[in-house]
mmCIF file of all heavy atoms in Angstrom:
data_model
loop_
_atom_site.group_PDB
_atom_site.id
_atom_site.type_symbol
_atom_site.label_atom_id
_atom_site.label_comp_id
_atom_site.label_asym_id
_atom_site.label_seq_id
_atom_site.Cartn_x
_atom_site.Cartn_y
_atom_site.Cartn_z
ATOM 1 N N ALA B 1057 26.321 -36.226 131.088
ATOM 2 C CA ALA B 1057 25.556 -35.816 132.307
ATOM 3 C C ALA B 1057 26.515 -36.159 133.486
ATOM 4 O O ALA B 1057 26.253 -35.517 134.574
ATOM 5 C CB ALA B 1057 24.245 -36.593 132.381
ATOM 6 N N ARG B 1058 27.332 -37.084 133.419
ATOM 7 C CA ARG B 1058 28.244 -37.428 134.517
ATOM 8 C C ARG B 1058 29.417 -36.419 134.669
ATOM 9 O O ARG B 1058 30.201 -36.515 135.677
ATOM 10 C CB ARG B 1058 28.731 -38.813 134.392
ATOM 11 C CG ARG B 1058 27.727 -39.906 134.568
ATOM 12 C CD ARG B 1058 28.281 -41.273 134.667
ATOM 13 N NE ARG B 1058 27.348 -42.354 134.959
ATOM 14 C CZ ARG B 1058 26.847 -42.603 136.156
ATOM 15 N NH1 ARG B 1058 27.261 -41.844 137.337
ATOM 16 N NH2 ARG B 1058 25.952 -43.495 136.417
ATOM 17 N N PHE B 1059 29.653 -35.659 133.650
ATOM 18 C CA PHE B 1059 30.858 -34.763 133.635
ATOM 19 C C PHE B 1059 30.658 -33.630 134.712
ATOM 20 O O PHE B 1059 31.763 -33.167 135.275
ATOM 21 C CB PHE B 1059 31.036 -34.036 132.386
ATOM 22 C CG PHE B 1059 31.613 -34.953 131.297
ATOM 23 C CD1 PHE B 1059 31.322 -36.329 131.210
ATOM 24 C CD2 PHE B 1059 32.465 -34.387 130.312
ATOM 25 C CE1 PHE B 1059 31.887 -37.085 130.217
ATOM 26 C CE2 PHE B 1059 33.010 -35.165 129.401
ATOM 27 C CZ PHE B 1059 32.801 -36.573 129.228
ATOM 28 N N GLY B 1060 29.530 -33.231 135.029
ATOM 29 C CA GLY B 1060 29.328 -32.126 136.019
ATOM 30 C C GLY B 1060 29.598 -30.811 135.372
ATOM 31 O O GLY B 1060 30.008 -30.637 134.234
ATOM 32 N N PRO B 1061 29.522 -29.717 136.124
ATOM 33 C CA PRO B 1061 29.717 -28.381 135.649
ATOM 34 C C PRO B 1061 31.160 -28.027 135.409
ATOM 35 O O PRO B 1061 31.997 -28.472 136.102
ATOM 36 C CB PRO B 1061 29.132 -27.479 136.712
ATOM 37 C CG PRO B 1061 29.138 -28.280 137.990
ATOM 38 C CD PRO B 1061 29.038 -29.683 137.558
ATOM 39 N N ASN B 1062 31.447 -27.252 134.279
ATOM 40 C CA ASN B 1062 32.793 -26.773 134.059
ATOM 41 C C ASN B 1062 33.782 -27.871 134.088
ATOM 42 O O ASN B 1062 34.903 -27.716 134.657
ATOM 43 C CB ASN B 1062 33.054 -25.617 134.985
ATOM 44 C CG ASN B 1062 34.207 -24.804 134.559
ATOM 45 O OD1 ASN B 1062 34.389 -24.604 133.241
ATOM 46 N ND2 ASN B 1062 34.966 -24.274 135.365
ATOM 47 N N PRO B 1063 33.639 -28.993 133.415
ATOM 48 C CA PRO B 1063 34.644 -29.977 133.428
ATOM 49 C C PRO B 1063 35.981 -29.724 132.740
ATOM 50 O O PRO B 1063 35.914 -28.872 131.790
ATOM 51 C CB PRO B 1063 33.861 -31.178 132.812
ATOM 52 C CG PRO B 1063 33.099 -30.561 131.839
ATOM 53 C CD PRO B 1063 32.538 -29.294 132.447
ATOM 54 N N LEU B 1064 36.981 -30.313 133.109
ATOM 55 C CA LEU B 1064 38.265 -30.370 132.433
ATOM 56 C C LEU B 1064 38.305 -31.722 131.769
ATOM 57 O O LEU B 1064 38.486 -32.632 132.459
ATOM 58 C CB LEU B 1064 39.444 -30.168 133.415
ATOM 59 C CG LEU B 1064 40.838 -30.354 132.819
ATOM 60 C CD1 LEU B 1064 41.060 -29.462 131.523
ATOM 61 C CD2 LEU B 1064 41.934 -30.230 133.861
ATOM 62 N N VAL B 1065 38.206 -31.714 130.385
ATOM 63 C CA VAL B 1065 38.265 -32.890 129.574
ATOM 64 C C VAL B 1065 39.720 -33.169 129.211
ATOM 65 O O VAL B 1065 40.192 -32.289 128.396
ATOM 66 C CB VAL B 1065 37.177 -32.945 128.460
ATOM 67 C CG1 VAL B 1065 37.274 -34.199 127.693
ATOM 68 C CG2 VAL B 1065 35.844 -32.564 128.896
ATOM 69 N N ILE B 1066 40.277 -34.229 129.548
ATOM 70 C CA ILE B 1066 41.654 -34.590 129.209
ATOM 71 C C ILE B 1066 41.639 -35.795 128.265
ATOM 72 O O ILE B 1066 41.261 -36.776 128.560
ATOM 73 C CB ILE B 1066 42.363 -34.950 130.472
ATOM 74 C CG1 ILE B 1066 42.413 -33.783 131.570
ATOM 75 C CG2 ILE B 1066 43.960 -35.209 130.197
ATOM 76 C CD1 ILE B 1066 42.789 -34.274 132.931
ATOM 77 N N GLU B 1067 42.163 -35.452 126.975
ATOM 78 C CA GLU B 1067 42.196 -36.596 125.998
ATOM 79 C C GLU B 1067 43.658 -37.018 125.845
ATOM 80 O O GLU B 1067 44.511 -36.165 125.579
ATOM 81 C CB GLU B 1067 41.636 -36.129 124.711
ATOM 82 C CG GLU B 1067 41.536 -37.340 123.750
ATOM 83 C CD GLU B 1067 40.801 -37.123 122.425
ATOM 84 O OE1 GLU B 1067 40.603 -35.846 122.072
ATOM 85 O OE2 GLU B 1067 40.379 -38.015 121.862
ATOM 86 N N PHE B 1068 43.892 -38.274 125.893
ATOM 87 C CA PHE B 1068 45.237 -38.843 125.600
ATOM 88 C C PHE B 1068 45.274 -39.188 124.084
ATOM 89 O O PHE B 1068 44.517 -39.833 123.549
ATOM 90 C CB PHE B 1068 45.383 -40.190 126.281
ATOM 91 C CG PHE B 1068 45.281 -40.174 127.840
ATOM 92 C CD1 PHE B 1068 44.158 -40.508 128.493
ATOM 93 C CD2 PHE B 1068 46.422 -39.625 128.482
ATOM 94 C CE1 PHE B 1068 44.073 -40.411 129.984
ATOM 95 C CE2 PHE B 1068 46.342 -39.497 129.913
ATOM 96 C CZ PHE B 1068 45.151 -39.939 130.635
ATOM 97 N N GLY B 1069 46.169 -38.295 123.441
ATOM 98 C CA GLY B 1069 46.329 -38.333 122.021
ATOM 99 C C GLY B 1069 45.709 -37.069 121.486
ATOM 100 O O GLY B 1069 44.892 -36.340 122.215
ATOM 101 N N SER B 1070 46.046 -36.703 120.241
ATOM 102 C CA SER B 1070 45.652 -35.401 119.679
ATOM 103 C C SER B 1070 44.109 -35.571 119.379
ATOM 104 O O SER B 1070 43.735 -36.529 118.748
ATOM 105 C CB SER B 1070 46.405 -35.082 118.451
ATOM 106 O OG SER B 1070 47.676 -34.787 118.807
ATOM 107 N N GLY B 1071 43.374 -34.494 119.813
ATOM 108 C CA GLY B 1071 41.944 -34.805 119.882
ATOM 109 C C GLY B 1071 41.048 -33.977 118.879
ATOM 110 O O GLY B 1071 40.028 -33.483 119.297
ATOM 111 N N ALA B 1072 41.454 -33.931 117.630
ATOM 112 C CA ALA B 1072 40.528 -33.253 116.666
ATOM 113 C C ALA B 1072 39.696 -34.186 116.045
ATOM 114 O O ALA B 1072 39.005 -33.992 115.048
ATOM 115 C CB ALA B 1072 41.290 -32.426 115.557
ATOM 116 N N SER B 1073 39.469 -35.513 116.577
ATOM 117 C CA SER B 1073 38.759 -36.562 115.988
ATOM 118 C C SER B 1073 37.285 -36.373 116.270
ATOM 119 O O SER B 1073 36.811 -35.572 116.993
ATOM 120 C CB SER B 1073 39.266 -37.794 116.675
ATOM 121 O OG SER B 1073 38.868 -37.874 118.012
ATOM 122 N N ARG B 1074 36.633 -37.340 115.531
ATOM 123 C CA ARG B 1074 35.166 -37.246 115.605
ATOM 124 C C ARG B 1074 34.656 -37.646 117.027
ATOM 125 O O ARG B 1074 33.576 -37.047 117.533
ATOM 126 C CB ARG B 1074 34.533 -38.170 114.573
ATOM 127 C CG ARG B 1074 33.172 -38.210 114.469
ATOM 128 C CD ARG B 1074 32.645 -39.059 113.355
ATOM 129 N NE ARG B 1074 31.168 -39.276 113.287
ATOM 130 C CZ ARG B 1074 30.664 -40.084 112.476
ATOM 131 N NH1 ARG B 1074 31.286 -40.857 111.697
ATOM 132 N NH2 ARG B 1074 29.292 -40.339 112.572
ATOM 133 N N LYS B 1075 35.398 -38.408 117.675
ATOM 134 C CA LYS B 1075 34.882 -38.968 119.001
ATOM 135 C C LYS B 1075 34.879 -37.840 120.047
ATOM 136 O O LYS B 1075 33.851 -37.750 120.769
ATOM 137 C CB LYS B 1075 35.902 -40.010 119.516
ATOM 138 C CG LYS B 1075 35.871 -41.284 118.665
ATOM 139 C CD LYS B 1075 36.862 -42.337 119.002
ATOM 140 C CE LYS B 1075 36.964 -43.432 117.987
ATOM 141 N NZ LYS B 1075 38.038 -44.354 118.326
ATOM 142 N N ILE B 1076 35.916 -36.971 120.234
ATOM 143 C CA ILE B 1076 35.797 -35.931 121.172
ATOM 144 C C ILE B 1076 34.872 -34.961 120.857
ATOM 145 O O ILE B 1076 34.102 -34.342 121.650
ATOM 146 C CB ILE B 1076 37.244 -35.357 121.447
ATOM 147 C CG1 ILE B 1076 37.197 -34.426 122.670
ATOM 148 C CG2 ILE B 1076 37.732 -34.574 120.174
ATOM 149 C CD1 ILE B 1076 36.932 -35.030 123.932
ATOM 150 N N ARG B 1077 34.594 -34.663 119.571
ATOM 151 C CA ARG B 1077 33.585 -33.697 119.164
ATOM 152 C C ARG B 1077 32.247 -34.139 119.434
ATOM 153 O O ARG B 1077 31.377 -33.299 119.677
ATOM 154 C CB ARG B 1077 33.779 -33.443 117.628
ATOM 155 C CG ARG B 1077 35.031 -32.727 117.293
ATOM 156 C CD ARG B 1077 35.166 -32.458 115.788
ATOM 157 N NE ARG B 1077 36.470 -31.875 115.436
ATOM 158 C CZ ARG B 1077 36.678 -30.893 114.675
ATOM 159 N NH1 ARG B 1077 35.658 -30.317 114.182
ATOM 160 N NH2 ARG B 1077 37.810 -30.269 114.471
ATOM 161 N N ILE B 1078 31.862 -35.464 119.421
ATOM 162 C CA ILE B 1078 30.594 -35.990 119.855
ATOM 163 C C ILE B 1078 30.329 -35.521 121.360
ATOM 164 O O ILE B 1078 29.260 -35.104 121.720
ATOM 165 C CB ILE B 1078 30.577 -37.460 119.675
ATOM 166 C CG1 ILE B 1078 30.575 -37.897 118.282
ATOM 167 C CG2 ILE B 1078 29.256 -37.991 120.350
ATOM 168 C CD1 ILE B 1078 30.838 -39.324 118.000
ATOM 169 N N LEU B 1079 31.390 -35.735 122.164
ATOM 170 C CA LEU B 1079 31.150 -35.274 123.615
ATOM 171 C C LEU B 1079 31.079 -33.831 123.769
ATOM 172 O O LEU B 1079 30.244 -33.344 124.574
ATOM 173 C CB LEU B 1079 32.442 -35.956 124.455
ATOM 174 C CG LEU B 1079 32.563 -37.419 124.456
ATOM 175 C CD1 LEU B 1079 33.777 -37.811 125.177
ATOM 176 C CD2 LEU B 1079 31.252 -38.110 124.973
ATOM 177 N N LEU B 1080 31.907 -33.022 123.092
ATOM 178 C CA LEU B 1080 31.831 -31.639 123.240
ATOM 179 C C LEU B 1080 30.557 -31.044 122.809
ATOM 180 O O LEU B 1080 29.928 -30.132 123.309
ATOM 181 C CB LEU B 1080 32.927 -30.947 122.464
ATOM 182 C CG LEU B 1080 34.352 -31.202 123.062
ATOM 183 C CD1 LEU B 1080 35.463 -30.611 122.063
ATOM 184 C CD2 LEU B 1080 34.548 -30.627 124.348
ATOM 185 N N ASP B 1081 29.964 -31.634 121.675
ATOM 186 C CA ASP B 1081 28.712 -31.248 121.060
ATOM 187 C C ASP B 1081 27.692 -31.540 122.166
ATOM 188 O O ASP B 1081 26.660 -30.719 122.382
ATOM 189 C CB ASP B 1081 28.345 -31.966 119.802
ATOM 190 C CG ASP B 1081 29.121 -31.408 118.633
ATOM 191 O OD1 ASP B 1081 29.783 -30.348 118.736
ATOM 192 O OD2 ASP B 1081 29.274 -32.132 117.650
ATOM 193 N N ALA B 1082 27.780 -32.705 122.797
ATOM 194 C CA ALA B 1082 26.745 -33.113 123.739
ATOM 195 C C ALA B 1082 26.758 -32.244 125.003
ATOM 196 O O ALA B 1082 25.836 -32.070 125.786
ATOM 197 C CB ALA B 1082 26.984 -34.525 124.204
ATOM 198 N N LEU B 1083 27.971 -31.683 125.291
ATOM 199 C CA LEU B 1083 28.053 -30.665 126.385
ATOM 200 C C LEU B 1083 27.204 -29.416 126.123
ATOM 201 O O LEU B 1083 26.987 -28.647 127.101
ATOM 202 C CB LEU B 1083 29.567 -30.403 126.757
ATOM 203 C CG LEU B 1083 30.258 -31.411 127.481
ATOM 204 C CD1 LEU B 1083 31.769 -31.101 127.337
ATOM 205 C CD2 LEU B 1083 29.866 -31.510 128.926
ATOM 206 N N GLY B 1084 26.877 -29.154 124.906
ATOM 207 C CA GLY B 1084 25.919 -28.096 124.557
ATOM 208 C C GLY B 1084 26.334 -26.688 124.932
ATOM 209 O O GLY B 1084 25.530 -25.876 125.409
ATOM 210 N N GLY B 1085 27.623 -26.408 124.737
ATOM 211 C CA GLY B 1085 28.046 -25.027 124.951
ATOM 212 C C GLY B 1085 28.295 -24.718 126.424
ATOM 213 O O GLY B 1085 28.537 -23.484 126.786
#
């Protein structure tokens, strides 16, 4: 909810992990 609209999410490290997917799923499309 803090990301705001149309965020640019920058992950340090390669991000096919479960953690980034939790956030992307929560962004709800």
